[in-house]
Amino acid sequence: MVVTTALEIVDLCFRRGAKRDLTLDSVSLALRAGELLVLLGPNGAGKSTLVHCLLGLATPERGQVRAQGAELRSLSHRDIARRIAYVPQSGYSAFAFTVEQLVLMGRTAHIDGIGSPSLRDREIARRAMSDIGVDHLRAEPFTQLSGGERQLALIARAVAQDAPIIIMDEPTSSLDLGNQGRVLALMKTLAAGGKAVIMTTHLPDQAFNLDARVALLRGGRLIAEGRARDVCDRESMSRLYGAPLLRLEDAEARGVVAFVPELF
């Protein structure tokens, strides 16, 4: 099997604010097709800024982002959308689009000019809703959904977009445990099908459950990367989050690991 690089981040630096504070400092990463990468880091580590750079929403001071070999700055928004799908932390709409209409918007990058969605586009959207478990909500206004239902609808939209790279910014933050498990299982399925998947989270245990590669980000710098089982020990996680943590492991549950704050 030929392994291809889906996304490359090369020496990325980004400054923001009036003082031009360095938010990202020489970050380099590569993500292959079929690979899961979990970005871990405390609030203010630069995760969201990095995601914005990967989506072409922020312009780095130095460095490059390449999607399927093409430098992001050379691509139109439409071309970026054909390569990269995005699931934000939460969604808002001033218009009462139905869930089906929202998910169908994921097909926009594949529709030429002012054309309308084809039967194939509609079938892809329906399949995405079914896979994510929101098919029963297809006629419901997005504005009337619960927070968890909105998040699932946004994930279905990204799946319908059918891009080779999917970036999810804390996709399980508003989901109950059952739906968290469904979303994580879907991510594994997407990666197994050849998608390159990036997820940001505050929960190292999700990286263990996914058996994913992790990248630890702190103060805008990449401080470690590797398999979760190799990188996420108690000492490194305590250092990453700036607080003493306890590592809990359930050997009967295939070595599932969780970290909790040590009360003091």
Side-chain angles (χ1 to χ4, degrees):
M1 183 179 70
V2 177
V3 178
T4 59
T5 300
L7 187 68
E8 291 179 276
I9 307 165
V10 183
D11 196 28
L12 205 66
C13 293
F14 184 86
R15 294 182 185 272
R16 71 161 29 147
K19 296 183 179 180
R20 303 293 291 158
D21 293 325
L22 196 61
T23 308
L24 295 175
D25 186 1
S26 301
V27 175
S28 294
L29 282 168
L31 184 69
R32 297 172 298 178
E35 187 175 26
L36 271 165
L37 175 66
V38 176
L39 287 175
L40 290 172
N43 294 329
K47 299 189 303 298
S48 293
T49 300
L50 179 57
V51 166
H52 290 164
C53 289
L54 300 183
L55 296 170
L57 301 176
T59 302
E61 180 180 84
R62 188 179 78 234
Q64 290 185 331
V65 177
R66 303 188 191 108
Q68 293 189 301
E71 217 283 315
L72 227 59
R73 288 184 237 200
S74 70
L75 300 175
S76 67
H77 291 301
R78 178 187 179 88
D79 287 334
I80 292 173
R82 285 179 170 177
R83 287 168 168 81
I84 305 174
Y86 175 53
V87 179
Q89 290 185 31
S90 59
Y92 169 78
S93 174
F95 304 98
F97 295 113
T98 66
V99 168
E100 185 170 21
Q101 289 171 330
L102 178 85
V103 174
L104 195 55
M105 290 176 190
R107 300 300 302 162
T108 301
H110 302 279
I111 300 172
D112 293 327
I114 57 174
S116 299
S118 66
L119 289 176
R120 179 175 180 272
D121 292 321
R122 295 183 183 279
E123 177 56 33
I124 290 172
R126 291 193 184 101
R127 192 183 313 129
M129 286 187 290
S130 177
D131 289 344
I132 303 302
V134 295
D135 189 57
H136 65 292
L137 298 171
R138 62 184 180 276
E140 296 295 324
F142 182 74
T143 52
Q144 295 182 18
L145 301 181
S146 68
E149 289 171 337
R150 289 188 188 190
Q151 194 69 0
L152 291 172
L154 291 171
I155 293 171
R157 181 181 66 180
V159 171
Q161 194 169 326
D162 196 27
I165 304 163
I166 300 179
I167 299 176
M168 300 187 179
D169 196 2
E170 298 186 34
T172 63
S173 59
S174 59
L175 301 181
D176 59 45
L177 290 176
N179 281 323
Q180 285 185 34
R182 292 183 185 94
V183 169
L184 294 177
L186 173 71
M187 291 172 66
K188 292 195 73 168
T189 299
L190 291 171
K195 304 287 187 185
V197 184
I198 298 179
M199 177 183 79
T200 70
T201 182
H202 287 293
L203 301 174
D205 55 299
Q206 294 186 342
F208 279 94
N209 288 344
L210 290 168
D211 191 25
R213 183 170 142 237
V214 299
L216 308 186
L217 200 64
R218 183 174 178 83
R221 297 182 68 89
L222 184 65
I223 61 173
E225 67 170 303
R227 307 304 300 179
R229 59 182 175 269
D230 298 325
V231 173
C232 298
D233 56 35
R234 180 184 178 186
E235 181 180 350
S236 64
M237 291 295 95
S238 296
R239 185 168 59 250
L240 181 69
Y241 290 103
L245 301 177
L246 295 175
R247 172 174 163 145
L248 310 177
E249 185 165 355
D250 186 349
E252 293 183 359
R254 296 170 299 173
V256 171
V257 174
F259 291 88
V260 298
E262 182 177 354
L263 302 181
F264 57 93

